[in-house]
Amino acid sequence: MSLRVAIVGGGLGGLAAALHLRRIGVDAVVYEQAPALREVGAGVMIAPNMVRLITRLGLGDALARCAVWLEEAWEYRRWADGEILSVQPMGEACERMYGANVHTAHRADLLAMFQSALPAEAVHLDHRFVALEQDDAEVQLTFAHRTGGETKVRADAVIGADGIHSAVRPLIVTEVEPHFCRLSAFRALIPVEKAPDYARRRIQTIWVGPGRHVVHYPVSGGRLVNVVAIVPAGEWLLESWTADGDLSEFAVEFETWDEKVRQLVAAAPSTKRWALYDRSPLERWTSGRVTLLGDAAHAMLPFFAQGAGQAIEDAAVLARCLREADRDSVPKALLSYEATRRPRASRVQLMSRGRADYNHLPDGPAQRERDAGLRDGDFLRHSAWLYSHDVDTEPLLH
C-alpha cells in the first residue's frame, strides 16, 4: 500500500508537493481551507532552478503558454532620470549556463497550471486545519468546514504548506514574533494596452532610488504588467497580500521620480499594499511525522525573488526522501528532507535581508560605488549558486 501524505495548504508549494509525490506513487492529497483555489499576490519570477523542476514534471509546454520568456533581466535604472545602470542579457546565454531561462508569470496562472495536472480527488477544498495528533504509527488530522462539522483524516505524513501564517508550524517550533522591516509594498497589475511602452518589453526592470525601489515585468503571457514598489511603511503595519492600498498614496511616493515611473504608477487601475516583516531561519522543521514546506518553513523577504522557487525545490527533495520510505521510516525520511533543504533555504532567507539597503541607497559615494558595480557586474554568473543548483542530484543528508 502506498504512503498516505496529507498536505495542509493549496498554494504553489502545496500543489507542487502533491505533483512531485504522486509522480513517485505516493497518495498525496491537498487540503485547502478556501472554497476555491486562489493564489494571493501577483507576479512571480521563475528562475532556472524552478523552471527545470517544472519541466521535469511534464509542464514545460504549459509554462510556456502562461509565462513570459525574458529576453533580458535585471535592467537597473536610476530613479531620477531613468539612466540605465546595467542590462543583463538572458535568453540563450542563460539557457547555455543553466539549462533554462528566466520567466515571469502571474501566480494565479501557475496555480491553475499545477491544479490542472492533478486529479480532482487530490485536492479537497473548504478544509480548514484545526488540529492533529500523531503516534508511532500515523497522524490524525481534524479539519473544519464553513458549513459546520468536521472531517477526520488519517495519514502517514503531514506536510504543513500553509504559508507565512502557518497553523501547522506552532505544533513543531515555538513561534517567534516577526521583525518589522519598516517597509511596505505596493502591488499593481496593469493591462498591457494601458501600460507605458517601455514597460511592455520582455524585461524585468528595477528602478533604484533613495529609500525605495520599483520592479516591473510582464506576466500572463504578456497581457498584464506586474508592478511592485517597496517604500517606507509609515503607519502601514498590516501584513496581508489582499489589503487594498491607496493609489494617491502610491503616486505621492514617486512624485519626484522620473516621468516614466510616474506614468507607470498613474496607469495602475488599483493597488494592494502589505507591510514587510522579516523572519529568521527556524531551528527545525520536523516533528515525528509532520514537517513544513515553503513559506511555512522559510518565509523570506521578496528581494531575491526566490520564495516560490525554494518551495518547489522543497517539494522535489521531499519526494526524493520519501521515494524509498515505508510507513515505519517516514520520520527518518522527513528528517533527511529537513537536513538537506534547511541550509540552502536558510541561506536564501538571510541573503534576502540586506537587499533593500542595497537598492535604497541615498545619492552619494555609496550609491555611486553601487552603480559602478552594477555597470561592471555579471549577474548571470554571480547567480550560479542559485540557478545551477540541482536538487534532483544533490546528496541527501541525514
Side-chain angles (χ1 to χ4, degrees):
M1 185 178 294
S2 63
L3 289 178
R4 303 163 298 168
V5 175
I7 301 169
V8 179
L12 292 176
L15 294 193
L19 285 167
H20 279 282
L21 289 168
R22 294 181 77 88
R23 187 179 177 215
I24 63 168
V26 171
D27 181 17
V29 179
V30 174
Y31 297 91
E32 165 59 38
Q33 67 177 344
L37 284 183
R38 65 183 190 277
E39 181 61 67
V40 295
V44 59
M45 292 287 297
I46 311 173
N49 56 309
M50 184 175 172
V51 174
R52 291 193 303 269
L53 294 175
I54 290 174
T55 301
R56 290 170 192 171
L57 286 171
L59 298 174
D61 290 343
L63 179 66
R65 288 192 295 270
C66 74
V68 176
W69 186 91
L70 293 188
E71 296 171 338
E72 297 170 337
W74 300 313
E75 177 190 73
Y76 279 89
R77 288 179 177 251
R78 178 167 161 76
W79 71 279
D81 54 12
E83 176 191 357
I84 297 176
L85 302 174
S86 175
V87 176
Q88 173 65 64
M90 300 298 286
E92 293 182 1
C94 193
E95 293 271 1
R96 285 195 305 271
M97 293 178 67
Y98 302 124
N101 191 32
V102 175
H103 296 63
T104 57
H106 195 300
R107 287 176 177 270
D109 294 337
L110 286 183
L111 195 72
M113 179 184 76
F114 286 162
Q115 183 181 10
S116 68
L118 287 167
E121 64 269 19
V123 180
H124 291 202
L125 303 174
D126 187 23
H127 278 63
R128 179 173 60 83
F129 173 75
V130 175
L132 66 78
E133 296 178 356
Q134 65 170 311
D135 55 31
D136 291 341
E138 65 178 5
V139 187
Q140 179 174 278
L141 302 94
T142 303
F143 296 97
H145 308 292
R146 291 170 181 255
T147 54
E150 294 182 339
T151 297
K152 304 285 188 181
V153 173
R154 295 183 182 276
D156 302 305
V158 173
I159 313 303
D162 50 342
I164 198 167
H165 300 295
S166 172
V168 177
R169 186 173 58 230
L171 305 178
I172 295 176
V173 64
T174 302
E175 287 283 82
V176 177
E177 285 295 315
H179 173 256
F180 186 30
C181 300
R182 308 307 305 174
L183 295 170
S184 67
F186 284 99
R187 171 171 52 83
L189 286 169
I190 303 173
V192 67
E193 63 274 10
K194 295 184 178 180
D197 288 344
Y198 82 93
R200 303 180 187 185
R201 301 168 300 154
R202 290 191 296 168
I203 294 175
Q204 178 196 217
T205 299
I206 305 171
W207 296 76
V208 290
R212 48 188 51 74
H213 74 274
V214 180
V215 180
H216 58 82
Y217 48 78
V219 296
S220 297
R223 296 185 300 276
L224 297 168
V225 175
N226 181 67
V227 181
V228 178
I230 308 299
V231 304
E235 300 301 316
W236 192 274
L237 305 178
L238 183 61
E239 186 185 31
S240 169
W241 282 17
T242 60
D244 291 329
D246 187 308
L247 283 173
S248 63
E249 293 178 0
F250 190 3
V252 167
E253 293 288 348
F254 297 97
E255 61 184 356
T256 62
W257 282 44
D258 183 84
E259 182 182 2
K260 288 185 174 65
V261 175
R262 288 182 276 126
Q263 289 173 345
L264 187 71
V265 173
S270 62
T271 185
K272 301 292 184 181
R273 188 177 185 183
W274 75 95
L276 298 181
Y277 288 79
D278 191 15
R279 284 164 172 78
S280 296
L282 299 178
E283 61 187 42
R284 62 176 181 159
W285 296 2
T286 306
S287 176
R289 295 177 175 272
V290 184
T291 195
L292 302 173
L293 180 148
D295 282 352
H298 45 71
M300 59 188 66
L301 294 171
F303 305 135
F304 255 68
Q306 273 286 317
Q310 292 305 298
I312 306 302
E313 287 190 2
D314 289 348
V317 172
L318 178 68
R320 286 185 64 200
C321 291
L322 287 174
R323 184 189 299 272
E324 304 299 330
D326 57 23
R327 287 179 173 171
D328 291 337
S329 63
V330 162
K332 182 179 179 180
L334 296 184
L335 287 174
S336 176
Y337 154 72
E338 176 186 332
T340 304
R341 283 297 301 150
R342 194 160 65 93
R344 175 168 163 83
S346 297
R347 181 185 180 190
V348 179
Q349 239 182 324
L350 293 172
M351 290 192 71
S352 297
R353 283 182 167 176
R355 201 66 183 180
D357 293 338
Y358 178 85
N359 288 340
H360 295 179
L361 291 173
D363 286 352
Q367 164 261 321
R368 289 191 290 272
E369 182 179 354
R370 178 203 63 196
D371 293 354
L374 287 171
R375 294 185 184 95
D376 298 336
D378 186 346
F379 300 106
L380 197 53
R381 292 190 183 279
H382 292 166
S383 297
W385 71 277
L386 272 175
Y387 291 176
S388 66
H389 188 80
D390 193 335
V391 296
D392 281 345
T393 59
E394 70 176 326
L396 296 177
L397 303 179
H398 300 283

